[in-house]
Amino acid sequence: MMIRTITPPRRRLSSHLILVHIAVLLVFASSSVNMASVHVSAEDAAADPSTTASPASGNEHTEEKEGEEYHQSSAGKKDDETPNSLNDKPEDNWGYYYDPKNEFCGEYDCYKILGFDYETFGRSPPDTKMITQSYRMLSRKFHPDKNRGKEGAEERFVKINKAHKVLTSRRRRAEYDYLRDNPDEYISRYGTNVLFHYAPKSDVTMVALMLLIAANLFAWFVQKNKWQTVADHVVKLALDGVGLREGGTDESIAIREKAMEILAKQKEEGKEDGGSKVGASTNASSATGTNSNAAAKVKGGSPKKKGAKLTKKEQKEQEMEELRPIVVKLVKEEHADFGGGFHQPTWRDLLITKFAQWPIMFTKAMGWQVGYWFRRLRGLELSDDELEVLTRRAVGEVTWHALSDEDRAEATKQELWISKNLEDWREMQEVKKWGPGYQKKYNRWKKKQGSKLE
C-alpha cells in the first residue's frame, strides 16, 4: 500500500497572509484618521469659545446640537434674536409667572429660563432629556466663574438651576403647569404677599393711647346721659306739680317748693326795684298774649283786650316758663347724685379709673363673702353691716338710694332677701303713695281677704 503526502501550495498560503496584513494596515489607518479629527475639533474649540462642543465625546457634541436646534425652534426665535452676548440680560426674555412666594422660579417662567415656550410647543412638550441638555448648555454659558464681575451672574445661575429642578421633577412640573392656569389655587396653597400694599407701620403706643382716650370719653358721656335722663324727668315732674299719688317723687316735690319760694322772693324784689326781672317776664307774657290774640283773630275769634286777664292755662304756662330756669339750676346744684349710679360724671367714672379700682372692689367683695359664710358656719347672728348689704341686694341700688333713712332702717328689719317678704314690702310701698282713705280701705280689705293686692 502506497502512502501519498499532499503538501499545500505555497503560492496560495502567501496570498492569504498578504490579505491579513492589508486588513491590519487599514484598521491602523482608520484609527489614526479618527484621532486626527478629534485633535482638530479640540483646536477649533479652543480657538472659538462660543462653541459648545465637548472634546471628550463626539456623541455628546451631536446631542447638544440637537438640543440647541430644538431650543431655537420651540422658542420661535432666530440666532440674532436670542441674547448670545454675555453683556445682554437674558432675564428680559424669561417671561412672567405668578409666584410671589418663590416656590418655583419666582417671577420668571421656568420654561423660558431654559429656552422653551409653554405656549408654542403644544402637544410636544420637551422631555427630561431635552431639558437637561438645555440646562447644561446654559449653565456652562452663564456659570459665575466665566462671568466674574458681571452683575446678577450668581442670581442668574441660581434661577437656571431652580428651573432645571422644577421641570425635571414629574410632580413639581405637573403642579407648575396646573398653577399656571389656576392662580387662585396658588393663593390657597402658598398664600400671597403681592396683592396688597400695606401702609407704613403705625406706632402701637400712639394707637393704644388714642383708643384709651376715646374709651374714657365714651364712658364719661354715657354717665352724663344717665344722670341727664333722671334730671330731665325730675324737672318735668317739678314743673307739672305732680304729687306722690300721680307718680311724683320726694325730690321733685321738694324742688318745686323751693323753686316757688325763690320765684316769690324774686317777684317781691322786682316790685321794690321796679320789677327788673318780673317786668321782663311780664313783657314776655304780654307778647305771648299778643301772639295768642293774633292767632285767635286768624281763626275767626275776637282778640283779647289789652287789659284782659290771662286764662288759667296761660297762667300755668307762664309760671312754668318762670320756674324752669330755677328748677334746672336747683337740680344741678342739689341733686348731682340721685343714687343708684345716677350721678354727674366725675374722674371716678373714667374707664381707666374703673379698671384700677376693679381689683380692689373684687377683693373687698370676696373678703366680705368669705366672712359672711364663716359667720354662718359658726352659727352667729347677722350683723348690722350684713343686714344692710343683703337688703340692698334685694331691693336694688336705685331703690335703696331713693329710700329715706327711716325707710332703710325699717327695711333692714324685714328680711327682704326672702322672696315673700320682698313682695309684701313692695306692695306696701305702692300703698303708701295712696291717700289716707284708700290706705284704710286697703288695710280693711287685707284683714278680710288675707291676700295680696291685685
Side-chain angles (χ1 to χ4, degrees):
M1 183 175 184
M2 295 180 66
I3 300 172
R4 185 180 179 181
T5 59
I6 301 175
T7 58
R10 294 180 179 274
R11 195 172 293 177
R12 182 176 300 177
L13 179 62
S14 61
S15 63
H16 285 292
L17 290 174
I18 292 171
L19 291 176
V20 170
H21 284 294
I22 292 172
V24 171
L25 290 175
L26 289 175
V27 170
F28 278 106
S30 62
S31 61
S32 63
V33 170
N34 290 334
M35 292 296 293
S37 63
V38 171
H39 179 68
V40 170
S41 63
E43 289 180 354
D44 294 338
D48 188 6
S50 62
T51 182
T52 58
S54 174
S57 173
N59 294 332
E60 183 178 355
H61 174 68
T62 306
E63 292 177 356
E64 290 179 358
K65 280 194 172 183
E66 291 176 355
E68 184 177 0
E69 291 174 358
Y70 184 87
H71 161 292
Q72 293 177 354
S73 62
S74 63
K77 296 182 179 180
K78 297 180 179 179
D79 293 339
D80 57 347
E81 293 178 356
T82 57
N84 291 329
S85 176
L86 295 178
N87 296 327
D88 297 335
K89 289 185 177 181
E91 290 88 346
D92 298 337
N93 299 321
W94 282 0
Y96 175 76
Y97 188 87
Y98 181 77
D99 186 18
K101 293 295 184 178
N102 202 21
E103 293 291 332
F104 302 100
C105 298
E107 61 179 335
Y108 299 112
D109 188 355
C110 294
Y111 285 103
K112 288 198 173 183
I113 290 176
L114 298 180
F116 305 101
D117 192 349
Y118 182 85
E119 303 296 335
T120 58
F121 58 64
R123 295 184 179 180
S124 300
D127 55 9
T128 304
K129 181 179 179 181
M130 295 176 180
I131 292 172
T132 303
Q133 289 174 357
S134 179
Y135 161 71
R136 289 175 180 175
M137 180 184 65
L138 294 173
S139 62
R140 283 195 295 268
K141 181 177 181 180
F142 296 106
H143 198 279
D145 294 341
K146 294 184 179 180
N147 296 273
R148 292 179 181 179
K150 297 295 181 67
E151 183 181 357
E154 293 184 2
E155 292 80 1
R156 188 178 299 121
F157 187 73
V158 170
K159 290 291 184 183
I160 293 172
N161 287 331
K162 189 68 177 290
H164 176 255
K165 290 181 180 179
V166 171
L167 296 182
T168 53
S169 173
R170 183 178 299 178
R171 182 185 63 83
R172 295 285 285 172
R173 183 176 178 179
E175 182 183 14
Y176 183 77
D177 295 341
Y178 174 74
L179 295 179
R180 176 186 295 273
D181 300 325
N182 299 276
D184 294 340
E185 290 290 333
Y186 181 95
I187 296 173
S188 63
R189 293 183 186 183
Y190 303 109
T192 180
N193 56 1
V194 298
L195 293 180
F196 306 100
H197 178 70
Y198 296 96
K201 186 177 180 180
S202 302
D203 189 0
V204 179
T205 305
M206 291 299 298
V207 173
L209 182 61
M210 296 299 295
L211 291 176
L212 183 61
I213 293 174
N216 283 282
L217 291 175
F218 178 75
W220 192 90
F221 280 111
V222 168
Q223 183 61 37
K224 178 70 174 179
N225 187 49
K226 286 176 61 178
W227 177 85
Q228 192 64 46
T229 302
V230 180
D232 293 341
H233 182 66
V234 173
V235 169
K236 186 176 183 303
L237 294 177
L239 292 176
D240 294 339
V242 180
L244 292 175
R245 298 179 183 178
E246 292 82 11
T249 61
D250 296 333
E251 292 85 356
S252 63
I253 296 174
I255 288 174
R256 181 177 177 81
E257 292 177 355
K258 189 176 289 188
M260 294 294 293
E261 294 177 0
I262 295 174
L263 181 61
K265 191 175 181 179
Q266 288 179 356
K267 286 182 178 181
E268 290 179 0
E269 293 176 356
K271 289 180 181 180
E272 293 177 358
D273 59 7
S276 58
K277 294 183 180 180
V278 180
S281 61
T282 305
N283 293 334
S285 63
S286 62
T288 305
T290 304
N291 294 334
S292 62
N293 293 339
K297 188 174 181 180
V298 171
K299 292 180 181 180
S302 58
K304 294 183 179 181
K305 295 182 180 181
K306 202 169 185 179
K309 294 183 179 180
L310 299 176
T311 61
K312 292 183 178 181
K313 183 178 180 180
E314 293 173 348
Q315 290 178 359
K316 185 176 181 180
E317 291 178 355
Q318 180 180 350
E319 182 181 352
M320 288 179 62
E321 293 299 325
E322 294 173 353
L323 282 176
R324 181 177 295 278
I326 302 174
V327 171
V328 171
K329 184 179 179 181
L330 289 175
V331 169
K332 289 182 178 180
E333 292 177 353
E334 299 183 2
H335 293 282
D337 187 1
F338 290 102
F342 295 91
H343 56 267
Q344 288 192 5
T346 60
W347 63 271
R348 290 185 176 88
D349 298 305
L350 298 178
L351 190 63
I352 187 172
T353 307
K354 291 184 177 180
F355 280 154
Q357 292 178 347
W358 183 84
I360 301 174
M361 296 174 62
F362 179 77
T363 304
K364 288 183 178 180
M366 290 300 297
W368 184 92
Q369 194 68 35
V370 171
Y372 172 80
W373 288 113
F374 182 72
R375 289 174 60 86
R376 300 291 76 77
L377 292 174
R378 294 175 59 187
L380 300 177
E381 295 182 358
L382 293 173
S383 62
D384 294 339
D385 179 66
E386 291 174 343
L387 289 173
E388 181 178 347
V389 172
L390 293 175
T391 306
R392 289 177 64 175
R393 290 180 179 178
V395 301
E397 291 293 330
V398 177
T399 305
W400 177 261
H401 285 284
L403 296 176
S404 61
D405 295 337
E406 296 178 357
D407 293 336
R408 291 178 184 177
E410 182 182 354
T412 54
K413 299 177 182 178
Q414 299 182 15
E415 297 183 354
L416 299 182
W417 52 89
I418 301 175
S419 300
K420 186 177 183 307
N421 296 341
L422 181 61
E423 292 180 1
D424 294 339
W425 180 82
R426 286 177 175 173
E427 184 177 308
M428 290 304 301
Q429 295 300 313
E430 294 292 332
V431 172
K432 286 181 180 179
K433 298 179 182 179
W434 300 351
Y438 287 101
Q439 291 182 11
K440 290 180 180 180
K441 291 181 180 180
Y442 170 76
N443 291 331
R444 289 196 298 267
W445 175 83
K446 193 170 184 180
K447 287 179 180 179
K448 292 179 180 180
Q449 301 296 330
S451 60
K452 298 187 301 181
L453 176 66
E454 295 295 336

